[in-house]
Amino acid sequence: MFAIVRTGGKQYRVAAGDKIVVEKIEGDAGSTVSLSDVLLAGEGADLKDVKGLTVSAEIVAQAKGEKVIVFKKRRRHNYRRRNGHRQQHTILKILAIGGEAKAKKAPAKAKADEPVAAEA
């Protein structure tokens, strides 16, 4: 199964197990993110409904792209400026398409009026 998702102003064709490099997404390496802006999904030539469809991905690493040199010059005016820039990237590994990946359950909190068992 494949899906086309939009993130960071760009569109990516993804399938389970793919690794993609996208614009910076907040999160630490190892955490799971959900890409909810799915534009198209299908398997082979069959297309599926994308309403409520999400793509689960794991953040592999936060990295920087290649350095880009910006050089400005105006002839005969003694004007030269040199700047560099490295774009922030996030490397994602696609876990699942079409729902939530294995989500960790938070432990249930005890209510205020229930007695808490004493631990020895």
Side-chain angles (χ1 to χ4, degrees), residues 45-87:
D46 300 329
L47 297 180
K48 299 192 178 194
D49 186 27
V50 296
K51 187 174 183 180
L53 193 68
T54 59
V55 174
S56 299
E58 177 186 1
I59 296 176
V60 176
Q62 301 284 5
K64 288 184 178 182
E66 293 293 318
K67 182 176 273 195
V68 177
I69 301 297
V70 179
F71 185 73
K72 299 178 182 180
K73 180 180 178 179
R74 293 194 182 146
R75 296 189 316 164
R76 298 180 297 274
H77 291 282
N78 195 24
Y79 175 83
R80 287 182 294 276
R81 302 291 183 266
R82 181 179 181 273
N83 287 316
H85 175 74
R86 291 184 72 183
Q87 187 68 29

Side-chain angles (χ1 to χ4, degrees), residues 105-117:
K105 275 190 168 181
K109 295 182 179 178
K111 294 181 181 177
D113 56 335
E114 292 181 7
V116 178

Side-chain angles (χ1 to χ4, degrees), residues 16-34:
D18 287 352
K19 288 186 181 180
I20 59 173
V21 178
V22 298
E23 295 292 321
K24 173 96 171 152
I25 296 176
E26 293 299 320
D28 296 327
S31 63
T32 304
V33 295
S34 177

